[in-house]
């Protein structure tokens, strides 16, 4: 990408940041709704009349309905403001530039009016307050009399008029360049005169009332142009909105809603916009904190820095983190920043492992989704600052343990590949083993620190479960890696390898399954007694289905397949030494020499272990596709024949694409 393209992309990102600030400001005030606190709201006192009669209930009702109507009005205005900001956010760049030009011209009109009003007020105050005889009635008189002293007085009206004249001239030049109204030569020439008219009048001996109202008249011409643009563009605005609706409807009907969301997500560059928004938001708060940390010394009245005495760098970082997740938009921005860092953490470990798998690059996306779900599930934005910081730290800890699981998913297939392919590259083995050592040492260190610094809680139990699960998974991977290495250096076929691999994986998957059940009950305790919520309940249902029910069903299916295969193999005859000598052939499944073999009904010889792996997939002979074992029921035989003939090709493909299945993989 060229430098010009990068600059244009950066400008487009910056143009989409202000609408997020607008939405964020509305969310800070809770969309105008009253924020309930833990304190008890005092009951309104009844208003009694002078004679001590009954209270005036109508007055209470009127106040209640007025407050309700005002709250509802504020809520509707905030909702309209949020929707307008989001509509601006999704505009195309050319429309976005037009909107900003219009808003800039409107802002210039208000700034010009405000500066004119302020300058005229100060000039009139100086004229009224000053009782000295050397002050003239007007600046024009000082100019004609060459009264240099009054003209150069820094606190005099002449300097104020000069400053306001320069400001209005700059505003007029900018307004002429950006306004979207008709650019008739006469109007363009009148605009600077209109902006600077109050400054000219302040120099003349005009009546105070005329000078006081001059800012209003000076703003009429630019305001008319702004209003004209607004009314003349109403049809274009409606047309753009309708065209966007038509485009979205046609895109959804042709490609689906998910494709539309993905396309718009890429077009708007949402992650980058959110990151820039969050960084600018935190930078703004940091500047305010630094400004607040300078105060007057009560003894000598000098400006001294109290940053080191009042607030350390750690407390400042704490404050920035707390305010960086106080609204939904701020949480989205923080999520994007976390995704950015997690992405490069994943790239760093991929660089260590010398791998570049595309599937492993989704670590940033997975981390972002997990962090955002944790934020919603724990109600991060609704907590007070102290509790929010504690909850944020706990979410970070849970996120990092999940990151360790993802790193294990990267290193595990590499370990299996290195051990099974007889890779002689020693440095690749060392790199993979080094990452495994990190995945064991770091969780242990984290558990020691957390259990020494915190009391037992549901959060600590969850972190401990995740950390121990990582350790178990890494140990299982290392044990299987060691078995494959031993098998690689053996000169004879290792028939018990499949059993050992199955037992080790079954042990690890059983531990993971038990931890899954433990985490479900831990979450149920949190839901019932600590912090409930619909999101937590939904996540528990998802966890119960995918991590408990589906895993248990898959594990039981593998166990039954294995037991059935063992029974089938045991029903076949064992080949004698004489038969193997007369055959003098290799196993047709693994192409290894046969020192022991099983004889099928079709008189074919295979390793017992290889044949058992084959039976995990289908019940026919690998060579002649005859039934490998005898079935007593003819009905079952017919059904089995029909099903096996229908799925024969699919099962062969499965055998080729799932090599782990041949190793007796347990619960996935």
């Amino acid at each position: 990408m060229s430098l010009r393209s990068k600059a244009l992309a950066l400008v487009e990102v910056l143009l989409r940041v202000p609408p997020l600030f607008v939405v964020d400001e509305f969310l800070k005030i809770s969309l105008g709704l009253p924020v309930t606190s833990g304190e008890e709201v005092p009951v309104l006192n009844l208003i009694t009349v002078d004679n001590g009669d009954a209270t005036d209930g109508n007055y209470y009702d009127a106040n209640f309905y007025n407050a309700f109507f005002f709250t509802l009005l504020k809520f509707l205005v905030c909702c309209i403001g949020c929707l307008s900001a989001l509509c601006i956010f999704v505009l195309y760049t050319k429309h976005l530039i037009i909107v900003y030009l219009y808003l800039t011209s409107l802002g210039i009109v208000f700034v010009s009016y405000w500066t004119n009003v302020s300058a005229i007020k100060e000039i009139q105050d100086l004229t009224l307050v000053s009782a000295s005889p050397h002050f003239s009635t007007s600046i024009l008189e000082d100019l004609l009399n060459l009264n240099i002293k009054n003209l150069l007085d820094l606190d005099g009206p002449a300097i104020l008029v000069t400053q306001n004249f320069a400001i209005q001239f700059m505003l007029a030049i900018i307004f002429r360049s950006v306004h979207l109204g008709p650019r008739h030569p006469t109007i363009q020439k009148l605009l600077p005169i209109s902006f600077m008219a109050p400054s000219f009048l302040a120099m003349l001996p005009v009546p105070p009332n005329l000078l006081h109202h001059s800012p209003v008249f000076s703003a009429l011409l630019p305001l008319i142009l702004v209003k004209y643009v607004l009314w003349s563009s109403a049809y274009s605005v409606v047309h753009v909105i309708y065209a966007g609706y038509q485009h979205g409807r046609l895109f959804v009907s042709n490609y689906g809603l998910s494709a539309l969301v993905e396309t718009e997500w890429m077009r708007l560059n949402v992650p980058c916009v959110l990151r820039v928004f969050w960084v600018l938001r935190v930078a703004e708060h940091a500047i305010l904190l630094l400004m607040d940390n300078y105060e007057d010394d009560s003894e000598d009245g000098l400006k001294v820095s109290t940053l080191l005495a009042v607030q350390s760098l750690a407390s400042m970082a704490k404050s920035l983190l707390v305010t960086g997740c106080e609204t939904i938009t701020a949480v989205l921005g923080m999520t994007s920043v976390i995704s950015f860092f997690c992405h490069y953490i994943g790239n760093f470990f991929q660089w260590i492992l010398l791998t570049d798998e595309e599937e492993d690059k989704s670590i940033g996306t997975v981390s972002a989704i997990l962090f955002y779900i944790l934020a919603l599930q724990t109600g991060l934005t609704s907590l007070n600052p102290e509790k929010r910081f504690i909850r944020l730290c706990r979410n970070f800890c849970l996120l990092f343990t999940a990151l360790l699981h993802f790193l294990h998913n990267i290193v595990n297939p590499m370990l299996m590949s290195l051990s099974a392919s007889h890779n002689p590259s020693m440095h690749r083995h060392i790199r993979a083993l080094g990452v495994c050592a990190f995945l064991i040492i770091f969780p242990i260190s984290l558990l020691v620190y957390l259990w020494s610094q915190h009391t037992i809680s549901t959060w600590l139990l969850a972190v401990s479960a995740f950390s121990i699960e990582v350790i178990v998974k890494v140990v299982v991977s290392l044990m299987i890696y060691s078995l494959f290495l031993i098998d690689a250096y053996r000169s004879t076929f290792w028939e018990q390898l499949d059993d050992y691999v199955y037992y080790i994986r079954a042990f690890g998957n059983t531990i993971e399954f038990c931890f899954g059940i433990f985490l479900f009950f831990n979450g149920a305790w949190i839901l019932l007694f600590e912090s409930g919520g619909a999101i937590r309940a939904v996540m528990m249902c998802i966890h119960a289905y995918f991590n408990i029910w589906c895993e248990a069903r898959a594990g039981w299916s593998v166990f039954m397949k294995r037991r059935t295969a063992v029974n089938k193999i045991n029903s076949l005859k064992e080949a004698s030494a004489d038969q193997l000598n007369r055959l003098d052939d290799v196993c047709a499944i693994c192409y290894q020499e046969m020192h022991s073999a099983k004889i099928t009904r079709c008189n074919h010889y295979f390793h017992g272990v290889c044949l058992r792996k084959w039976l995990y997939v289908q019940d026919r002979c690998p060579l002649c596709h005859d039934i490998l074992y005898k079935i007593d029921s003819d009905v079952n035989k017919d059904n089995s024949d029909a099903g096996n003939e229908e799925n024969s090709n699919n099962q062969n493909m499965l055998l080729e694409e799932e090599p782990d299945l041949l190793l007796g993989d347990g619960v996935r």
Side-chain angles (χ1 to χ4, degrees), residues 256-389:
L257 181 60
S258 60
L260 175 65
V261 172
E262 183 179 357
T263 303
E264 293 300 307
W265 185 275
M266 298 297 294
R267 179 181 70 85
L268 299 174
N269 201 359
V270 175
C272 189
V273 174
L274 289 174
R275 281 196 294 271
V276 174
F277 159 73
W278 193 80
V279 170
L280 293 177
R281 191 180 189 277
V282 171
E284 176 192 5
H285 186 67
I287 293 173
L288 294 177
L289 284 179
L290 291 175
M291 293 175 62
D292 291 340
N293 284 323
Y294 286 90
E295 59 183 15
D296 291 329
D297 194 329
S298 59
E299 295 182 357
D300 52 13
L302 297 176
K303 291 281 186 178
V304 294
S305 174
T306 58
L307 179 62
L308 297 178
V310 177
Q311 190 174 17
S312 64
L313 185 61
S315 60
M316 181 177 177
K318 174 183 176 180
S319 178
L320 293 178
L321 287 175
V322 168
T323 56
C325 58
E326 61 181 347
T327 61
I328 294 296
T329 50
V331 172
L332 284 171
M334 181 178 285
T335 301
S336 182
V337 173
I338 291 172
S339 173
F340 179 79
F341 284 108
C342 290
H343 171 74
Y344 281 99
I345 290 175
N347 286 350
F348 173 73
F349 279 95
Q350 283 187 325
W351 172 76
I352 292 177
L353 296 172
L354 300 178
T355 180
D356 192 23
E357 294 291 336
E358 289 294 331
E359 297 179 355
D360 297 335
K361 292 184 178 180
S362 60
I363 183 170
T365 304
V366 174
S367 302
I369 295 174
L370 178 59
F371 177 80
Y372 192 69
I373 291 176
L374 285 174
L376 294 180
Q377 183 174 286
T378 55
L380 195 63
T381 58
S382 61
L383 301 176
N384 61 58
E386 192 63 33
K387 291 184 178 179
R388 189 187 305 156
F389 179 73

Side-chain angles (χ1 to χ4, degrees), residues 398-650:
L398 289 170
L399 177 64
F400 201 81
T401 54
L403 194 63
L404 296 178
H405 283 264
F406 199 94
L407 294 178
H408 171 263
N409 292 338
I410 296 177
V411 73
N412 181 60
M414 185 174 182
L415 281 175
M416 301 301 104
S417 174
L418 290 174
S419 59
S421 62
H422 304 178
N423 195 315
S425 181
M426 186 60 63
H427 73 280
R428 292 180 63 90
H429 289 265
I430 294 175
R431 288 170 179 262
L433 293 176
V435 173
C436 290
F438 168 78
L439 294 178
I440 293 176
I441 296 173
F442 184 83
I444 294 176
S445 304
L446 180 65
L447 288 178
V448 171
Y449 171 77
L450 292 179
W451 281 91
S452 62
Q453 298 293 328
H454 299 83
T455 58
I456 187 171
S457 62
T458 52
W459 162 79
L460 186 58
L461 291 176
V463 174
S464 301
F466 282 125
S467 300
I468 297 174
E469 189 175 351
V470 170
I471 297 172
V472 171
K473 291 169 71 173
V474 174
V475 171
V476 168
S477 297
L478 289 176
M479 293 176 67
I480 297 176
Y481 165 79
S482 302
L483 290 178
F484 286 165
L485 280 182
I486 295 173
D487 180 64
Y489 288 98
R490 285 175 58 95
S491 58
T492 58
F493 181 71
W494 193 1
E495 294 187 3
Q496 301 301 319
L497 175 63
D498 176 70
D499 293 328
Y500 294 152
V501 171
Y502 174 78
Y503 295 146
I504 292 173
R505 287 188 174 175
F507 168 77
N509 292 329
T510 302
I511 297 297
E512 293 179 29
F513 181 75
C514 294
F515 276 124
I517 296 176
F518 170 77
L519 290 172
F520 176 80
F521 285 109
N522 187 68
W525 179 273
I526 297 174
L527 179 66
L528 296 176
F529 302 104
E530 293 185 8
S531 59
I535 298 178
R536 186 181 294 276
V538 171
M539 295 307 299
M540 285 188 58
C541 295
I542 295 175
H543 170 77
Y545 178 75
F546 287 102
N547 294 337
I548 296 179
W549 168 250
C550 290
E551 294 289 343
R553 186 175 59 182
W556 182 255
S557 175
V558 171
F559 172 75
M560 293 303 296
K561 285 182 179 180
R562 190 176 185 86
R563 191 181 68 170
T564 303
V566 170
N567 293 334
K568 293 175 182 177
I569 294 299
N570 291 334
S571 65
L572 299 178
K573 296 180 180 180
E574 185 76 25
S576 63
D578 294 338
Q579 289 175 318
L580 292 175
N581 291 331
R582 287 196 302 269
L583 179 65
D584 192 19
D585 199 358
V586 296
C587 174
I589 297 177
C590 67
Y591 299 106
Q592 298 290 326
E593 185 179 357
M594 290 186 292
H595 299 284
S596 62
K598 289 288 186 176
I599 306 175
T600 64
R601 296 175 61 247
C602 50
N603 203 30
H604 291 131
Y605 293 71
F606 303 98
H607 283 131
V609 175
C610 297
L611 198 57
R612 186 174 63 188
K613 295 176 186 178
W614 182 268
L615 289 174
Y616 295 159
V617 181
Q618 62 173 327
D619 300 331
R620 292 184 172 272
C621 176
L623 295 178
C624 65
H625 300 287
D626 192 10
I627 297 297
L628 289 175
Y629 59 97
K630 184 178 180 180
I631 302 177
D632 296 333
S633 175
D634 292 334
V635 176
N636 292 336
K637 180 178 180 180
D638 294 337
N639 293 335
S640 177
D641 289 343
N644 287 329
E645 288 174 358
E646 181 179 356
N647 298 321
S648 178
N649 293 332
N650 294 334

Side-chain angles (χ1 to χ4, degrees), residues 206-268:
V206 296
N209 288 335
L210 177 60
L211 187 62
H212 178 72
H213 293 95
S214 61
V216 177
F217 295 104
S218 69
L220 287 180
L221 179 59
L223 196 59
I224 289 173
L225 290 175
V226 171
K227 293 293 184 181
Y228 173 80
V229 171
L230 181 62
W231 287 108
S232 63
S233 302
Y235 175 77
S236 299
V237 172
V238 174
H239 177 72
V240 168
I241 294 175
Y242 181 74
Y245 165 75
Q246 287 290 98
H247 169 74
R249 187 174 64 84
L250 292 176
F251 200 98
V252 170
S253 62
N254 293 329
Y255 304 102
L257 181 60
S258 60
L260 175 65
V261 172
E262 183 179 357
T263 303
E264 293 300 307
W265 185 275
M266 298 297 294
R267 179 181 70 85
L268 299 174

Side-chain angles (χ1 to χ4, degrees), residues 174-189:
I174 297 174
F175 186 84
R176 286 181 58 182
S177 303
V178 302
H179 82 88
L180 303 174
R183 295 182 176 272
H184 194 273
T186 304
I187 296 177
Q188 293 292 88
K189 292 177 181 179

